[in-house]
Amino acid sequence: GYMGTRRPPGSGRAHFLFVLPGIWVGVVLILEILLPARIQLAPLLAAAPAIACAGTGRRQCVWMAGLCAFVALAPGAPGNGSGGEVQRVGTFAAILTVVAARYVVSVRRNRMLGELTQVRAVAEVAQRVLLRPPRPEVGDVLVAARSASASAGASVGGDFYDIVDTPYGVRAIIGDV
C-alpha cells in the first residue's frame, strides 16, 4: 500500500491524459472565437478524440468523439459562415475517421496484450516446473539456488539446475542453455 497521501506512480500523468482532450477542445473553441473569421480552427477538433484514445481507454475516446462531433455540427459552431457547412461536415468526417482508426488499433492492441499476458503466464508456469527451488539440504550438503535473467522483465530463460541424493552421493547439475 501507499503511506500517507502519496499517490501511485504515474497517477498525475494519468489524470493529465484524462483532462488533456477537454483542454484541447476548450483551447480550439476559445481561439476560434478570438481569431478573425477567416482563420478556421474547427478541424483541429478532430485531434481531441485521437488524444483521448492515445492516453486513455476506449470509452473516453468515444465520449470525446461525441462531444467533438456535436461541437463540429452544432448550429453556431466554429466554421459557420461562408462554406461553413462543408467545413463542419468535413470536421465531423475527420472525427469519425480518427475514432474508427483508433478503435481498430485499440482493439488489436488489447488482443495482443492479452495474448502476451497468456504466453508469459504459461512460460512462467513451465519455468517453475522445470526450475523448482531445491530443498535447503540434500544429503549432507546445504543448498541455495538463485536464477537471474539477463533480460529485464524476463523471468523465463534457458537456465536449469537440480540436486539429488543418490546411493553414490549428492549429484548436482547446473546449466545455461
Side-chain angles (χ1 to χ4, degrees):
Y2 293 95
M3 304 173 106
T5 58
R6 285 182 42 191
R7 285 193 253 169
S11 67
R13 180 177 178 266
H15 181 68
F16 177 71
L17 288 175
F18 184 76
V19 299
L20 184 59
I23 293 170
W24 180 263
V25 170
V27 167
V28 168
L29 293 177
I30 290 170
L31 288 175
E32 188 73 29
I33 292 167
L34 295 177
L35 292 174
R38 70 180 188 282
I39 300 174
Q40 301 293 319
L41 299 178
L44 294 176
L45 290 172
I51 295 167
C53 291
T56 61
R58 291 186 303 234
R59 184 175 295 141
Q60 184 184 359
C61 178
V62 171
W63 280 103
M64 187 55 62
L67 172 66
C68 291
F70 174 77
V71 169
L73 290 176
N80 280 348
S82 64
E85 289 296 320
V86 172
Q87 181 181 1
R88 287 186 346 198
V89 170
T91 300
F92 180 76
I95 291 167
L96 292 181
T97 303
V98 166
V99 171
R102 186 57 186 127
Y103 183 81
V104 168
V105 168
S106 178
V107 167
R108 182 178 165 101
R109 179 181 176 270
N110 287 342
R111 185 177 342 121
M112 290 177 72
L113 285 174
E115 289 173 6
L116 177 61
T117 300
Q118 187 177 12
V119 167
R120 280 186 175 172
V122 169
E124 286 175 7
V125 167
Q127 185 75 7
R128 280 195 303 270
V129 168
L130 296 173
L131 196 59
R132 64 187 186 280
R135 296 185 319 260
E137 290 183 34
V138 176
D140 57 354
V141 177
L142 296 176
V143 179
R146 178 174 175 261
S147 178
S149 176
S151 301
S155 61
V156 178
D159 300 344
F160 64 90
Y161 55 79
D162 200 6
I163 186 165
V164 294
D165 191 8
T166 71
Y168 306 101
V170 175
R171 301 292 189 245
I173 184 168
I174 301 171
D176 184 1
V177 178

